[in-house]
Amino acid sequence: MFDPFINLLHMLMGTPMFYPLVTVLIVADALAPIVPSESVLNLAGAFAGSQGVPDVTAVIVAAIIGGVIGDNICFALGGRLIGFVERLDAESKAGQAILWVRRNMNRGAGATIVVARFIPWARWVATIVLGSVRFNWFAFVIYDTIGVIVWAILSVGIGYAGGALFSDFPLLGMVVGVLLGSLVGFGIQKLQGKLFDWRDERRGESSL
């Protein structure tokens, strides 16, 4: 029943053009976070784990290139886009991301840049906000590159694990890979919050 769909994906992910397509998709996601780039990486990893294509290393490299390029373009445009960000509905996902970024940026810009890479709207907001306040670009590149590398490896790797685990059932493996990838981003966000809260408590105690 699903064989035609699996064959189509096999043909798409087996072509060399798939890798530059991943790069373009990641750049587009950095500029407008409505493209599900994490899901694409989870899916590519899961398919590689169950079907042997695409090449996992090549997908990771393509994702890193796209992430770094896209984030730096967004950072460079921060001053021009900040007005649009300020007008976003505070109750929307983007509005909530703005609050999250600004709250956590004061507690640790480096960690926030890395973790924001795992939160679609937050990474978009973080790059714009930092660009608008003229945050040190060299520091941004370092933290952002670290975040992009970790994000790409985890997104593809977790998908690959799900696909390999259910290699006899490729469609199930892809679903599991995407779900696991989604949970990782949520878990990292929660872990960062707990670490910041713990650090704040320690600082409060030490100041007494």
Side-chain angles (χ1 to χ4, degrees):
M1 178 179 178
F2 296 106
D3 286 346
F5 176 67
I6 299 298
N7 291 336
L8 178 62
L9 285 179
H10 198 287
M11 182 178 65
L12 173 64
M13 295 190 185
T15 176
M17 288 302 298
F18 178 70
Y19 307 108
L21 182 62
V22 168
T23 297
V24 171
L25 181 67
I26 303 302
V27 172
D29 175 57
L31 299 176
I34 56 176
V35 181
S37 58
E38 285 89 358
S39 298
V40 172
L41 296 183
N42 296 153
L43 183 63
F47 205 78
S50 64
Q51 302 296 302
V53 293
D55 181 80
V56 170
T57 302
V59 174
I60 292 173
V61 171
I64 291 172
I65 293 172
V68 170
I69 291 174
D71 287 351
N72 278 273
I73 292 174
C74 213
F75 181 87
L77 295 174
R80 297 182 180 182
L81 295 175
I82 189 63
F84 173 76
V85 169
E86 297 285 2
R87 292 193 296 271
L88 292 171
D89 182 4
E91 300 299 322
S92 66
K93 287 185 177 181
Q96 293 171 10
I98 294 172
L99 295 176
W100 181 88
V101 167
R102 287 187 167 156
R103 181 175 65 248
N104 288 282
M105 202 67 72
N106 294 328
R107 304 164 83 181
T112 301
I113 292 170
V114 173
V115 174
R117 192 7 82 176
F118 291 84
I119 311 170
W121 281 103
R123 63 172 171 255
W124 180 73
V125 169
T127 54
I128 292 174
V129 171
L130 288 169
S132 70
V133 298
R134 300 185 183 279
F135 183 79
N136 183 279
W137 177 74
F138 184 72
F140 172 79
V141 170
I142 292 175
Y143 288 124
D144 183 67
T145 301
I146 292 172
V148 170
I149 291 173
V150 175
W151 168 78
I153 291 174
L154 284 180
S155 296
V156 178
I158 290 173
Y160 184 89
L165 187 63
F166 297 96
S167 58
D168 293 333
F169 306 95
L171 190 62
L172 178 60
M174 286 185 284
V175 172
V176 171
V178 171
L179 289 176
L180 287 175
S182 301
L183 289 174
V184 166
F186 178 78
I188 289 176
Q189 180 184 6
K190 292 299 181 182
L191 178 61
Q192 184 221 24
K194 290 183 180 296
L195 288 175
F196 275 163
D197 290 341
W198 175 80
R199 188 187 66 181
D200 290 345
E201 290 176 4
R202 291 294 299 271
R203 286 180 173 176
E205 293 174 359
S206 62
S207 64
L208 295 177

